[in-house]
Amino acid sequence: MFSSKNKFRDNLLFSYSAIFLVVALIILTYLYQREKDYRSATLDDELLNITKIVDNYININSIHISGEYKKIDSLHYILPHPNLRVTVIDTSGKVLYDSFVHNYDTLENHKHRPEIMGSLRNGTGTAIRKSGTTGQDYYYYAKIYDDLVIRTALVYDINVDYFLKANLKFLIIILCCFAFISLRIDAF
């Protein structure tokens, strides 16, 4: 009789521990995804602000009327990232300006680039991909303003990759706490 009580208690504790572990893993997965989404949204907000600055500069200086998009080079010096690429594209896909390419008037049509299609369809578009123009990997953010799409891109290097990754230290600490609590419950 005594051993059947211990077996029942052990099975009950094992079941509670398993349920506790499953719930802990669900919570950790949710927190990890939220952290990644937050970091991505933060980067998108920063790039959105830069597209707004470029759009305001174009409008204040009547660049869309004069067609002197090369003037945006002067704005590029005050923008916060040294690896920031700014591209101005009309809604037909013609590149009007690119801060990383000097002969941008000879570039192919950009209308079918994923971030441009997203901005034409939804107002904004993002993509992580290799540039067909420079051959580098970029994190792209594009936003449509009237008849122009302003695209900003950061070189997708170790800094951007690190920024977009969720903070695993926090999740490991939580997992250790769950494991400690689970072991303490099993000890009773």
Side-chain angles (χ1 to χ4, degrees):
M1 166 112 176
F2 185 71
S3 69
S4 71
K5 271 188 170 181
N6 283 340
K7 189 172 181 173
F8 175 74
R9 185 189 76 151
D10 289 344
N11 286 340
L12 187 63
L13 284 176
F14 178 76
S15 298
Y16 282 143
S17 295
I19 291 170
F20 185 74
L21 182 63
V22 168
V23 169
L25 288 174
I26 290 170
I27 291 170
L28 286 174
T29 303
Y30 173 75
L31 289 174
Y32 180 77
Q33 190 59 45
R34 290 271 309 198
E35 176 79 10
K36 280 181 65 175
D37 292 346
Y38 170 75
R39 287 175 177 258
S40 180
T42 300
L43 184 58
D44 286 350
D45 286 344
E46 186 171 346
L47 294 175
L48 169 65
N49 288 334
I50 293 169
T51 64
K52 287 179 182 178
I53 290 168
V54 173
D55 181 56
N56 287 338
Y57 187 80
I58 289 170
N59 290 328
I60 288 170
N61 293 294
S62 302
I63 293 173
H64 59 287
I65 295 171
S66 68
E68 297 178 50
Y69 290 97
K70 191 75 175 155
K71 286 184 178 180
I72 299 173
D73 280 342
S74 63
L75 178 64
H76 193 69
Y77 295 111
I78 64 169
L79 295 176
H81 298 284
N83 289 333
L84 179 71
R85 180 178 175 191
V86 176
T87 311
V88 180
I89 304 158
D90 68 14
T91 54
S92 69
K94 181 180 181 206
V95 177
L96 303 173
Y97 171 80
D98 192 315
S99 62
F100 274 34
V101 179
H102 297 294
N103 57 343
Y104 49 81
D105 51 341
T106 62
L107 293 177
E108 65 186 46
N109 191 294
H110 280 40
K111 189 171 186 170
H112 298 292
R113 306 281 167 99
E115 67 280 0
I116 304 301
M117 290 188 319
S119 69
L120 293 173
R121 188 173 42 251
N122 305 320
T124 62
T126 61
I128 298 173
R129 61 176 182 80
K130 185 176 221 148
S131 168
T133 304
T134 67
Q136 287 183 295
D137 289 330
Y138 287 96
Y139 181 88
Y140 288 101
Y141 178 88
K143 175 152 178 48
I144 188 162
Y145 292 94
D146 298 324
D147 58 342
L148 296 176
V149 176
I150 299 175
R151 180 180 73 178
T152 53
L154 285 174
V155 174
Y156 194 74
D157 59 5
I158 191 72
N159 295 326
V160 174
D161 186 43
Y162 178 75
F163 179 79
L164 288 176
K165 285 188 177 176
N167 187 353
L168 291 177
K169 292 176 191 172
F170 171 72
L171 297 176
I172 290 170
I173 290 170
I174 290 176
L175 185 60
C176 289
C177 289
F178 280 133
F180 177 74
I181 292 169
S182 179
L183 290 173
R184 297 300 293 167
I185 288 174
D186 283 344
F188 285 113

